[in-house]
Amino acid sequence: MDLATLIFWIIAVILVGSALMVVGLRNIVHSAVALILLFAMAAGIYVLLDAEFIAIVQILIYAGAVTILILFALMLTRITGQQSRTNPTNKQWWIALVICTLLGVSIIYAATTSPHAVATVGSDSGQLPAGINNVVRIGQLLYSPTQYSFVLPFEIASLVLLVAIIGAIVIGRED
Amino acid sequence: MLLADDAVTQLIHGIISWQFLQFVVTFLVIFVFVLTGAVILVLAERKIMAWMQDRLGPIYTGPWGLLQTVADMIKLLLKEDIRVADSDKLLFLLSPSVFIAPVIAAFAVLPFSPYISLPGTGLATGIVYYVAMSSIDVVAVVMAGYSSNNKYSLIGGLRAAAQMISYELPLVLALVGVVMLTSVLAGAPGYPGHDSIGTISLRQIIDFQGVWHKTGNPVLDFIFEGNTPWEWFILIQPLMLVIYYICGLAETNRAPFDLPEAESELVAGYVTEYSGVRWAMFYLGEYGNMTIVSAIATILFLGGWSGPGVAYLTGLNVPVWGLVGNLLALVYFIVKVYLLCAVFIWVRATLPRLRSDQLMRFAWLILIPITLGNILLTGALFLLISGLGLPTWVFLTVTGVINWAALFGFIWVVGRATVATTRRAQAPAIRARLRASTTPALPLRDGIPARVPELP
């Protein structure tokens, strides 16, 4: 067992634990904070996979922005009187457990037997040329006007987001 | 035992190496810098603000009041740790740590000198990492505001969250201008990198601002190698430095953006219920944030550690001169950072607090359009000038001239907007007073004062 594996197991245990805390905790604000921990640990997994850009963006967007919006909404709509039990749960948790187990088993089965299985050993053909790091490659893939890139889907996605923002403003406007 | 063996040998091989020595030296320098930084800055803030307000400031503890903050720190550490009844215990105890952790983490990518820089300074995503770390602070503020079980804390936390999220956008957009400049400059003779591939690594952005072609004259080489103030990005994008700095003020909740902890309205905002060590941690985090904002501004716009002699001495490859060069670099860097921190204090002593309506308007209607316009303008100018076949320095000059003009335009716009929003906010009160003065005063009766006319 080398150092990376050790760190992976530490991160993985915390990740699964915090995921269970998100669904299990009684207080909804505690769940949201556990969600932040979960996102941070997922970023740790990305770092171990040498995808540091994705990891940092994960922290920036999920831990720093999305969960803040969740917390913000929770605090503005705080249910008074029953602070200790604000995470709504019902009697169907065992159905969720069955579904989750099935999903997990099928993912593990697929990952271990699929012909498209993830390579466990890095191949040299995937290496980037000198002077081109992950960030540069992502930028080229997303925006490059001269090489093969995903400029058009990217621009369409940003247009859709713009429409969503304008729609939210129109709906939320008080006049 | 077999499992742990491999990890242990890896650890030992990592520890006995020159890189680890560099790590230890850097870690100690940065650790001491972070811990003493707050103490020095608090004293500087009190002294500078006192001079600006024609007072003396702290003078009794130690010579010339120098030990005042040390005494304050000792007092804070020994103070009783009060926990509020009915507070959310877990979040209440956790949030100071969550506040200070990203501050310390952000120092990992700050290069202090060519040698004194953690391995993280080589990170290709330096700027994004810094922004991500500063975005985590909001979590701690919201946690503190929620868990204190106090309405002032809650309001302070919510205000801080809204403010920090809003000002993060123009902060990032202001930095994009610099990244675009690096991608224009990359690959030019003397500059690092490949053609038209810019960088967001802090270490490399310093290299972009210190390109000097050796002349062979030792005096000129000594002064100007790696120290070329005419290449600093402040000359090309001064407006972006100003906007970045304003957003930094808002991100750190400093005056005039200190609505989350406005003393006159909210006691102390989200830190109301904290005392002793936990309060000190919030304070340490705030001053650490201030240092980081100044350090990033120094690295991106003011050439980082560059100064006379640094690159020349470290380039000699003699250990003694390398040490001197690194110490010089450290001194230059810290002096630049503290000068920018002094601007923070100057602003605090000068400007009154913004009103909440001005706060959001300023971010969304002034800062974001200007920063977006700057990105558009920089790109369009580059297309135009490179399309005409003119050299890069023409592009840099034109961009610089337009940006300096825009800086004065920005100051004018902000002045107009402040006056206009103040008029709009005061208008109802002025109208009411006018109406009140037109209603006839009630006649006086003997010995009894007239009733004040009721405001309509």
Side-chain angles (χ1 to χ4, degrees):
Chain A
M1 185 193 278
D2 58 354
L3 214 54
T5 320
L6 194 71
I7 295 171
F8 166 78
W9 280 108
I10 295 171
I11 290 178
V13 167
I14 300 177
L15 191 143
V16 174
S18 58
L20 288 175
M21 271 152 70
V22 171
V23 289
L25 285 178
R26 296 282 182 222
N27 189 329
I28 190 93
V29 175
H30 289 180
S31 292
V33 174
L35 194 63
I36 295 172
L37 185 64
L38 187 149
F39 286 140
M41 288 304 131
I45 299 270
Y46 287 136
V47 169
L48 287 180
L49 293 172
D50 274 347
E52 82 273 2
F53 185 75
I54 304 287
I56 292 168
V57 170
Q58 164 95 6
I59 288 182
L60 177 64
I61 294 183
Y62 285 94
V66 171
T67 43
I68 289 296
L69 286 181
I70 295 175
L71 278 173
F72 209 82
L74 288 179
M75 275 172 209
L76 288 176
T77 58
R78 184 151 64 147
I79 311 157
T80 47
Q82 40 169 331
Q83 273 183 35
S84 53
R85 279 175 156 267
T86 43
N87 202 357
T89 47
N90 57 24
K91 300 270 184 282
Q92 290 164 3
W93 62 270
W94 58 273
I95 302 179
L97 192 69
V98 171
I99 293 173
C100 288
T101 316
L102 283 177
L103 188 68
V105 167
S106 55
I107 287 175
I108 292 170
Y109 176 74
T112 47
T113 58
S114 158
H116 306 293
V118 191
T120 47
V121 185
S123 61
D124 285 339
S125 60
Q127 290 294 314
L128 293 167
I132 308 277
N133 52 35
N134 268 338
V135 190
V136 173
R137 196 72 196 107
I138 290 172
Q140 285 175 341
L141 273 178
L142 277 183
Y143 306 109
S144 175
T146 49
Q147 306 171 18
Y148 177 78
S149 67
F150 297 92
V151 167
L152 200 62
F154 183 83
E155 293 298 333
I156 291 171
S158 57
L159 200 68
V160 170
L161 284 176
L162 183 68
V163 170
I165 293 171
I166 294 174
I169 292 174
V170 168
I171 292 171
R173 216 168 93 182
E174 39 179 293
D175 44 9
Chain B
M1 205 49 226
L2 199 71
L3 288 177
D5 233 22
D6 220 6
V8 168
T9 45
Q10 276 187 34
L11 268 179
I12 288 173
H13 278 293
I15 285 172
I16 306 173
S17 64
W18 289 111
Q19 281 87 4
F20 191 73
L21 181 71
Q22 180 184 12
F23 174 78
V24 169
V25 169
T26 314
F27 178 78
L28 288 178
V29 168
I30 290 181
F31 196 65
V32 171
F33 181 73
V34 174
L35 288 185
T36 58
V39 177
I40 294 171
L41 278 172
V42 171
L43 185 74
E45 178 155 29
R46 293 176 69 174
K47 275 287 182 188
I48 294 176
M49 275 180 67
W51 295 332
M52 286 182 177
Q53 296 161 351
D54 201 11
R55 297 183 283 117
L56 284 175
I59 52 168
Y60 289 113
T61 320
W64 195 62
L66 282 178
L67 295 177
Q68 180 65 49
T69 44
V70 178
D72 282 350
M73 274 294 151
I74 294 169
K75 186 202 83 174
L76 279 175
L77 293 181
L78 297 178
K79 220 172 156 184
E80 186 192 351
D81 182 26
I82 298 172
R83 296 180 195 176
V84 191
D86 265 349
S87 66
D88 198 322
K89 282 281 177 318
L90 182 71
L91 296 187
F92 187 78
L93 299 184
L94 264 180
S95 67
S97 324
V98 178
F99 189 77
I100 204 166
V103 174
I104 294 173
F107 275 95
V109 289
L110 295 183
F112 275 54
S113 88
Y115 183 80
I116 305 174
S117 36
L118 290 172
T121 51
L123 197 65
T125 49
I127 294 179
V128 188
Y129 176 85
Y130 152 66
V131 174
M133 285 304 128
S134 75
S135 76
I136 296 184
D137 273 349
V138 192
V139 177
V141 168
V142 172
M143 275 164 64
Y146 168 80
S147 62
S148 294
N149 191 25
N150 176 331
K151 62 187 171 196
Y152 297 125
S153 297
L154 186 62
I155 294 172
L158 289 180
R159 276 190 187 181
Q163 173 182 323
M164 286 161 115
I165 289 179
S166 305
Y167 277 83
E168 218 166 74
L169 297 174
L171 185 138
V172 180
L173 291 175
L175 299 181
V176 172
V178 170
V179 177
M180 289 176 82
L181 286 182
T182 62
S183 75
V184 170
L185 287 172
Y191 285 97
H194 296 256
D195 264 345
S196 71
I197 293 176
T199 179
I200 51 175
S201 152
L202 295 172
R203 182 91 186 236
Q204 271 183 325
I205 288 177
I206 295 181
D207 294 343
F208 271 97
Q209 302 173 61
V211 174
W212 170 255
H213 302 287
K214 278 197 180 242
T215 55
N217 181 342
V219 178
L220 284 179
D221 275 352
F222 179 80
I223 296 175
F224 290 121
E225 194 181 343
N227 171 39
T228 47
W230 57 89
E231 282 170 357
W232 290 357
F233 287 142
I234 183 179
L235 291 181
I236 307 168
Q237 303 252 337
L239 179 59
M240 290 304 110
L241 173 59
V242 171
I243 288 181
Y244 169 73
Y245 212 72
I246 292 171
C247 298
L249 284 173
E251 283 280 298
T252 50
N253 296 330
R254 298 268 311 170
F257 295 96
D258 55 350
L259 281 96
E261 41 200 71
E263 303 93 346
S264 48
E265 311 161 29
L266 296 179
V267 190
Y270 54 90
V271 286
T272 304
E273 300 291 358
Y274 284 92
S275 68
V277 182
R278 292 177 210 289
W279 188 83
M281 280 166 86
F282 271 111
Y283 229 65
L284 200 63
E286 190 187 318
Y287 282 94
N289 262 329
M290 209 167 120
T291 321
I292 290 168
V293 168
S294 304
I296 296 278
T298 307
I299 289 166
L300 293 191
F301 293 97
L302 298 175
W305 65 62
S306 67
V310 174
Y312 185 76
L313 290 178
T314 49
L316 288 179
N317 278 328
V318 181
V320 181
W321 290 121
L323 180 70
V324 174
N326 274 296
L327 287 179
L328 269 180
L330 194 64
V331 169
Y332 292 137
F333 184 74
I334 289 178
V335 164
K336 282 177 189 171
V337 167
Y338 276 156
L339 281 179
L340 282 174
C341 286
V343 178
F344 264 100
I345 298 164
W346 179 18
V347 168
R348 181 178 170 189
T350 309
L351 294 176
R353 188 177 300 133
L354 268 78
R355 287 193 313 273
S356 52
D357 64 316
Q358 287 172 330
L359 182 81
M360 287 298 155
R361 258 170 223 271
F362 189 50
W364 291 97
L365 296 183
I366 296 182
L367 292 182
I368 292 183
I370 287 180
T371 43
L372 283 174
N374 176 63
I375 293 172
L376 210 64
L377 185 80
T378 313
L381 274 178
F382 178 68
L383 266 187
L384 184 73
I385 289 174
S386 65
L388 289 175
L390 296 171
T392 314
W393 63 266
V394 177
F395 163 73
L396 294 180
T397 319
V398 172
T399 317
V401 167
I402 292 180
N403 230 288
W404 277 101
L407 176 62
F408 291 101
F410 173 73
I411 295 170
W412 181 78
V413 165
V414 171
R416 288 294 298 264
T418 317
V419 173
T421 52
T422 309
R423 283 220 184 102
R424 201 175 305 142
Q426 286 175 343
I430 293 174
R431 275 203 301 273
R433 229 175 67 195
L434 281 177
R435 276 201 297 271
S437 63
T438 52
T439 49
L442 294 171
L444 274 175
R445 290 196 315 192
D446 296 342
I448 301 168
R451 272 171 48 210
V452 177
E454 276 181 23
L455 292 180

